[in-house]
Structures are given as C-alpha cells and as structure tokens.
Amino acid sequence: MTDWLTPEEWRAVTLSLRVATVAVVTSLPLGVATAFVLARREFWGKQVLNGLVHLPLILPPVVTGYLLLLTFGRKGYVGQFLDEWFGIVFAFRWTGAALAAAVMGFPLMVRTIRLAIEAVDPKLEQAAGTLGASRPWVFLTVTLPLIVPGVLAGAILSFAKAMGEFGATITFVSNIPGQTQTLPTAIYSFLQVPGGEAQAGRLVLVALAVAMAALLLSEWTGRRVARRISGA
C-alpha cells in the first residue's frame, strides 16, 4: 500500500484511520448508554433526546460543522473554556476532525445498538433482577453479552461514516495537509488541481474498499444478533 500511494496520500489515509478510530472508541460508551436509555426507559423529553441524537443525519453536514465551530472553537462557548482551563483545542486540529466524525457517526451507532437492545427479551433482565442483581449488574451480565454483535455493528457503521465524513470536518477543522486533511478532503483537494485525477482515483479506491468491508462486517454481525436472539 505504501508503494502504491504517495506519501501525501498515505498521510491522508493514516490520518483518517486515526480520526475514525478515536471517534468510535471515545463515543462508544456514550452510544451504548444512550441506546439503552432510548430502548428501555420512558421519561419526559425522550423524543427530544431521540431527535437530538439523530439530528446530524438530517442537518446538512456543513451546518453541523458550523455549530461545532461555534461551540468548540477557540471563541466558542465550550471551546474557550476548554482552551483556557485545560489547554484543549479542537478547532483546526486532528482532534476536532475526530470530534466531527464522532458526532456524524453517533446516530448510526445509537440506532444499531438500540435495535439490538430492543431485540433482547426484557423478561431475561427482569428474571435477573428478581434474583437480587442490581440494574448495572443486570446490564453487564445479561444485556451486554446479548448485544455485543449489535454494539460491534454500530461501531463498524460509525467507523465507516467517520472515514467518509467531509462536510462537517472541512467546516470545523479546515483542510490542512498533514494535520486535518483526511481521506475525503484529500480527494476534494486533488480534484481541484489539474492532473490530480490519478491521486484522487487511488484514494477513491481506498474509500470504496473501506466502505465495502464495513458493510460486509456490519451485515455479518447483524446476522449474529438475529441468530443469538432467536437461539439458533
């Protein structure tokens, strides 16, 4: 792969892999918790929470990126606080690209995990509760083992979305080679340069390979969920 891709192209691919991995790993615990709350709890404002979770799927990615910039930029409501007190900066950094990717992939992650949780028979959880197990222990010993394939499927879909994220990323962290230039933004840059079609084409092939692998893995883990729940 390193011989097939130029150093510039390889940097874009490796940065995308880094961004997508960090985005998935950091958002997965919150994704599981959010999916569980939406699947198993009834409370005032549940539909509002559900709408907020899925909002990045509906909004134009550029709008999401602009909202991230307003919130987590150096002068943003949260970004200024993080910068002054903890020295954490997201805007125009690769960490900001990871944040944007996590936000855009979060709805797919939550939706997939929620479907897996809803497929688990609540009576199994109730039975463990009647034996004196606490709710966290019931989740860890009963629910979580049953939904592991669904969690993996959600993580895979989120990873694929993160690898292909463009609009929110370029709005929030720009397109700086070697720093924030991910796979999609690199393809965009090469297409703006005369004679860059070959470089863009190679990166498109990489993107297609990653997307296809993610879809196949997601389908496979989805079938595992169905078989496990049905007892087959």
Side-chain angles (χ1 to χ4, degrees), residues 126-147:
Q126 294 169 5
T130 58
L131 296 176
S134 63
R135 288 184 177 180
W137 188 248
V138 170
F139 176 79
L140 290 175
T141 59
V142 178
T143 311
L144 186 58
L146 290 173
I147 67 169

Side-chain angles (χ1 to χ4, degrees), residues 37-104:
V37 168
L38 292 175
R40 287 287 191 261
R41 297 287 181 263
E42 293 296 333
F43 55 92
W44 184 90
K46 179 178 179 179
Q47 294 306 317
V48 175
L49 175 61
N50 187 55
L52 290 174
V53 168
H54 290 87
L55 198 58
L57 289 179
I58 303 170
L59 285 175
V62 173
V63 174
T64 302
Y66 181 64
L67 292 175
L68 287 173
L69 187 61
L70 288 179
T71 305
F72 293 98
R74 284 184 178 272
K75 301 300 181 181
Y77 309 111
V78 179
Q80 187 173 5
F81 171 79
L82 293 176
D83 185 19
E84 292 178 356
W85 288 87
F86 301 101
I88 298 175
V89 178
F90 287 105
F92 308 109
R93 304 282 180 87
W94 77 267
T95 50
L99 176 60
V103 170
M104 296 302 295

